[in-house]
Amino acid sequence: MAAPLSDRKRSRPRPGRQAFAALLAVAALSAAVWLWAVNESPDTIRAAVAQVGGAAALLLCAAVTAAVHQAAAARSALARLADAEARSRQDREARTEIEDQVTALADTAVPLMLRRIREDRTTAAEVLAGELPEVLPPVAHLRRTVLDQLLEADSRTATAMISTADCGARIQARLTTLLAQLRELEERYGDRSDIFSDLLKVDHNVSRTGRLADTLVTLAGGRSGRRWTRPIVMESILRGAAGRITAYRRVRLHSTSTLAVVGHAAEGVMQALAEVMDNAVNFSAHGTDAHVYVQEEDTGIVVTVEDSGLGIRRRERRLAESLLSEPRDLSTLPSSRMGLAVVGSLAHKYGLKVSLRPSARGGTGVVLLIPTHLLTEPRAPEPRPSTRSTAESSDGPGETVASGEDASSRPDGSRPSLPRRSTAGTAEAPSAQPGGLPRRRRGRTLAEAVRENPEQLFPLRSASAGKQVRGGLSTRFSAFREAVPGSEEQHSQNDA
Amino acid sequence: MRADPLHKEKPDRLYMVTGGRGGADEPSLDSVALIVAESEPSPEMQSEHAAVLRLCARPTAVVELSAELGLPVSAVRVLLADLLDTGAVTARHPAPSTVREGPQHDPDTLKQVLLALQRL
């Protein structure tokens, strides 16, 4: 680079000026020679010498000037050429450097940024400042812009996920209320089989909708919708799962397990099983069933869901396994098929192990292991009918009585003013022991107390009739009927 | 109790207990028909079926089963229809005259009883 520079300096004088200098020098020289020649020549030829010599001197001047000008111009052109070459080499080097840095940005820096942002968005920028290499200003600018955009995108994603989870949770809450109301209606119209059938259909549709909300919330990283406060037995788990899918009639449950899943994990297990069952039914030929088997093993409970479909291709299987093994959320889903992603996410959350294998039925078997730390013995109030539980010890005392009452008293609503027990009264006041006297609370008339709990009047009578006192309603009614003639007599006596 | 149904509700819905049947197309079983178990419950049975068989070790009315199981009468009817089909239980229908509209159901009488009770 040094040589062309000095070249350039040396050739600084313009070709015109060089030519002019040369012209002056040649003109001076040739003028001197011409004068000398004219003086020295004999007089006879002096005029001729002067003319010829003058012409020759002029030609010489012109030729030398032209030559010098051309030479100077050529030198100048060469210098410019060398200069241009140097500059282009310099530019090439600079371009290569930028290219390398941009490639590095794409290959290593951006993935690193994404990783750090995923780890923690708030500190990502600081951490990255120490980790990323020094680069040329334009690349640095590009990198800063990319980082800003990535941070912004991540923040937007996070907001969208939170809103989705929040919205899903609200849907879940409403559906839970709706399901509770439906259950009440089912109790109320339990004796009207036509209404009851319709209610069951509505119930199923609401439950299916609930699964959608669950999917949304799970993939948006929210909490599972319902928390069960007690362990849920396997039978209920399986039925709770199967009940959430559209074709629940095509799921065949084979379970003799009496173990229960702990309350906090029950919802997750049901949700995962529901997705697996739904997959199994959807991939089975129409009209065939999916079978669910439960085995108790040392490591936990193994639930196998087998379909009789065509099996899955290798590529689909790889995708399915990747979905099951690495938890995804809404922002990292590879496709719009969400079922297996939900299973993967829940498996990760609760420590369930899910694997695929070919099924003996020809289709695919999904094996889901519920580890022992999620299992327990079912809690005591699981109705043990051998001891003939009375209303207090059975699972839902208020509801038990209420359903019986509704069931048998509603249809003939022709009894206008029967003393109606409030359900809370019977449930919370088990004070009328058989054989005891009618009780009233302080400050109330006995008639009021009786109106609340007429059963108090008749325990002796039913006991004397040799019947066992039961929570059942027909016994109470028969006791009531037995009491009717007696009170009628009393009534007429009073009248008399 | 009723205000907070979440604590006693089960995850398996009634349509799963009845297999989606609401009892509309089952032969109607009188709500005070007495049901008697004819076989022992087995472990692979649906738990409600097993519970019915245990409860019906001695004759039990349909409404009583409904109350004991905490299930609506229609659901119990569906369960009983299954058991009747397999012969696991038998039903003894009550004599119609004693159950259907009898003099005991006369609303006036009942009203008088109510008045008498209130006057106690």
Side-chain angles (χ1 to χ4, degrees):
Chain A
M1 199 175 279
L5 271 179
S6 63
D7 263 2
R8 195 163 56 187
K9 267 178 194 153
R10 203 171 40 193
S11 62
R12 180 60 56 83
R14 299 242 176 98
R17 273 164 75 182
Q18 279 190 7
F20 185 65
L23 176 64
L24 287 180
V26 172
L29 199 65
S30 52
V33 170
W34 180 74
L35 283 175
W36 175 78
V38 168
N39 279 335
E40 290 297 312
S41 57
D43 291 346
T44 51
I45 55 167
R46 186 169 293 162
V49 166
Q51 279 172 6
V52 172
L58 282 176
L59 279 174
L60 181 69
C61 280
V64 165
T65 306
V68 166
H69 185 270
Q70 289 302 320
R75 260 203 311 282
S76 157
L78 275 175
R80 273 208 304 278
L81 185 66
D83 201 24
E85 269 174 4
R87 244 182 322 199
S88 95
R89 199 161 48 240
Q90 217 177 345
D91 289 351
R92 252 200 320 275
E93 277 165 14
R95 199 190 69 194
T96 313
E97 202 181 353
I98 291 182
E99 273 175 0
D100 288 350
Q101 288 182 355
V102 170
T103 311
L105 179 72
D107 289 348
T108 57
V110 170
L112 181 71
M113 285 179 198
L114 285 173
R115 205 161 52 240
R116 293 286 175 263
I117 289 173
R118 209 171 299 143
E119 281 164 10
D120 185 4
R121 184 172 68 247
T122 47
T123 60
E126 289 168 36
V127 174
L128 285 167
E131 281 179 330
L132 292 173
E134 204 59 29
V135 286
L136 292 172
V139 182
H141 180 67
L142 172 64
R143 200 169 66 185
R144 211 163 36 245
T145 316
V146 169
L147 180 60
D148 288 347
Q149 291 292 329
L150 287 178
L151 283 170
E152 201 186 317
D154 189 68
S155 150
R156 271 201 302 267
T157 309
T159 315
M161 297 265 281
I162 291 171
S163 326
T164 310
D166 192 47
C167 190
R170 268 190 256 169
I171 300 176
Q172 275 179 331
R174 301 229 171 124
L175 289 179
T176 305
T177 317
L178 191 53
L179 283 174
Q181 285 171 343
L182 272 170
R183 176 72 202 219
E184 271 189 49
L185 286 177
E186 283 160 4
E187 302 282 355
R188 187 177 302 162
Y189 297 106
D191 54 334
R192 298 276 309 273
S193 53
D194 47 345
I195 299 179
F196 186 71
S197 300
D198 292 344
L199 283 173
L200 292 188
K201 282 180 200 132
V202 178
D203 195 332
H204 177 223
N205 276 318
V206 174
S207 299
R208 281 164 65 198
T209 316
R211 188 165 68 89
L212 282 183
D214 290 342
T215 300
L216 204 60
V217 171
T218 304
L219 290 181
R223 281 174 27 147
S224 74
R226 306 186 61 173
R227 314 232 120 194
W228 302 97
T229 48
R230 54 174 200 281
I232 307 289
V233 289
M234 272 317 286
E235 187 188 34
S236 289
I237 291 278
L238 295 180
R239 292 201 301 212
R244 297 170 189 209
I245 72 171
T246 307
Y248 69 94
R249 285 194 181 86
R250 285 171 58 201
V251 179
R252 294 272 167 270
L253 306 173
H254 311 274
S255 163
T256 54
S257 174
T258 53
L259 288 176
V261 178
V262 292
H264 70 87
E267 183 65 23
V269 172
M270 276 189 276
Q271 211 185 323
L273 280 174
E275 295 300 338
V276 172
M277 289 177 191
D278 192 46
N279 253 5
V281 171
N282 287 342
F283 284 105
S284 295
H286 191 72
T288 59
D289 294 334
H291 291 259
V292 181
Y293 302 94
V294 174
Q295 286 162 282
E296 290 175 14
E297 306 283 349
D298 292 341
T299 45
I301 284 186
V302 178
V303 184
T304 314
V305 181
E306 296 199 329
D307 63 48
S308 41
L310 298 171
I312 49 176
R313 284 193 295 270
R314 192 176 296 169
R315 203 169 62 85
E316 289 172 337
R317 188 194 168 101
R318 261 207 304 278
L319 173 67
E321 275 166 352
S322 97
L323 282 171
L324 291 174
S325 55
E326 38 190 292
R328 312 286 184 114
D329 59 25
L330 276 182
S331 62
T332 51
L333 269 186
S335 71
S336 60
R337 293 252 307 277
M338 299 189 281
L340 283 176
V342 170
V343 180
S345 165
L346 290 167
H348 181 74
K349 191 166 169 187
Y350 293 104
L352 311 172
K353 291 198 181 62
V354 191
S355 51
L356 301 174
R357 62 168 176 71
S359 155
R361 298 179 172 274
T364 311
V366 178
V367 185
L368 187 143
L369 171 77
I370 309 169
T372 40
H373 70 267
L374 296 179
L375 297 173
T376 177
E377 294 291 329
R379 214 175 271 175
E382 188 59 21
R384 301 237 54 99
S386 54
T387 60
R388 260 306 145 104
S389 58
T390 48
E392 293 90 74
S393 67
S394 81
D395 201 359
E399 193 151 303
T400 308
V401 173
S403 68
E405 177 191 65
D406 288 350
S408 48
S409 70
R410 278 299 158 90
D412 27 20
S414 55
R415 303 174 221 173
S417 54
L418 262 184
R420 286 186 61 86
R421 282 164 286 127
S422 76
T423 47
T426 31
E428 287 160 14
S431 54
Q433 293 98 353
L437 286 172
R439 293 191 180 177
R440 66 181 172 88
R441 241 177 287 151
R442 192 185 299 221
R444 314 184 73 178
T445 63
L446 185 58
E448 258 179 320
V450 168
R451 190 163 32 217
E452 260 185 18
N453 192 356
E455 198 185 347
Q456 295 185 64
L457 276 180
F458 309 120
L460 278 174
R461 205 177 270 271
S462 40
S464 68
K467 289 180 189 165
Q468 201 170 355
V469 178
R470 293 178 190 170
L473 201 75
S474 60
T475 349
R476 272 182 241 144
F477 262 19
S478 61
F480 192 71
R481 272 188 224 127
E482 281 173 39
V484 166
S487 30
E488 205 167 20
E489 278 164 29
Q490 203 180 11
H491 184 59
S492 50
Q493 276 169 14
N494 283 355
D495 279 357
Chain B
M1 269 297 173
R2 187 156 269 214
D4 191 11
L6 296 187
H7 289 290
K8 64 169 193 280
E9 208 172 328
K10 286 183 172 180
D12 42 354
R13 312 290 305 173
L14 279 177
Y15 59 86
M16 283 308 294
V17 174
T18 65
R21 294 159 298 167
D25 40 4
E26 308 292 334
S28 180
L29 199 57
D30 198 284
S31 52
V32 287
L34 292 176
I35 309 298
V36 189
E38 298 291 339
S39 63
E40 290 291 310
S42 63
E44 66 270 15
M45 268 182 178
Q46 196 184 335
S47 65
E48 287 81 9
H49 283 157
V52 167
L53 290 184
R54 276 193 294 270
L55 285 167
C56 294
R58 64 200 141 197
T60 310
V62 175
V63 280
E64 270 192 273
L65 287 173
S66 158
E68 291 281 352
L69 297 171
L71 294 172
V73 178
S74 290
V76 174
R77 284 205 181 105
V78 172
L79 293 171
L80 286 175
D82 294 342
L83 291 170
L84 284 167
D85 282 350
T86 56
V89 297
T90 50
R92 295 178 198 166
H93 292 276
S97 59
T98 58
V99 186
R100 299 284 173 209
E101 303 298 320
Q104 296 99 320
H105 286 273
D106 180 28
D108 289 337
T109 316
L110 289 172
K111 208 181 278 181
Q112 284 177 345
V113 172
L114 174 62
L115 288 172
L117 286 171
Q118 282 173 340
R119 227 174 279 156
L120 275 175

